[in-house]
Amino acid sequence: QVQLVESGGGLVQPGGSLRLSCTASGSTFSFNAMGWYRQPPGKERELVAVVTRGGSTNYADSVKGRVTISRDNAKGPVYLQMNSLKPEDTAVYYCWGSLRGNNYWGQGTQVTVSS
């Protein structure tokens, strides 16, 4: 059974940085794509960043220039380096992976940006 496990969330002051990690287990196949979504309080889940098996990346406009997605290989881990964090980045961050036509999600990790 494929599982995605996030780590690295926490409380950070505005302007600070955090690095989220997502480790995949349970599959010998490579993910077509992996990425990060987030769900701010009271809002819908939204895309943050995605990296494809070929290494192409895509970012939400709201995080461009402040966030970098990277990975070790197509089976993960996948990382999200977040800099210059703002209060509006506060959300539960979910790791996502697309594998053999199925979507997989981690359990989420809380990121709170506050002074």
Side-chain angles (χ1 to χ4, degrees):
Q1 184 173 348
V2 176
Q3 288 187 320
L4 300 175
V5 179
E6 304 99 334
S7 62
L11 173 64
V12 63
Q13 292 186 342
S17 298
L18 276 178
R19 187 190 195 215
L20 306 183
S21 300
C22 174
T23 302
S25 63
S27 175
T28 59
F29 297 98
S30 298
F31 287 89
N32 294 326
M34 297 186 76
W36 294 89
Y37 284 70
R38 68 185 182 186
Q39 188 164 14
K43 296 185 179 181
E44 298 290 319
R45 192 174 297 189
E46 61 186 18
L47 171 72
V48 178
V50 172
V51 58
T52 68
R53 188 190 316 195
S56 299
T57 57
N58 187 39
Y59 295 92
D61 288 342
S62 60
V63 303
K64 281 181 180 176
R66 302 187 296 119
V67 167
T68 303
I69 189 170
S70 62
R71 58 169 195 186
D72 286 355
N73 56 61
K75 295 182 182 180
V78 62
Y79 307 100
L80 191 71
Q81 177 67 44
M82 302 188 291
N83 301 320
S84 302
L85 283 163
K86 305 175 182 179
E88 50 263 44
D89 294 316
T90 294
V92 178
Y93 284 70
Y94 296 92
C95 181
W96 164 83
S98 174
L99 176 64
R100 295 170 68 83
N102 296 311
N103 290 314
Y104 296 91
W105 296 92
Q107 81 286 353
T109 185
Q110 177 70 46
V111 172
T112 302
V113 184
S114 175
S115 55

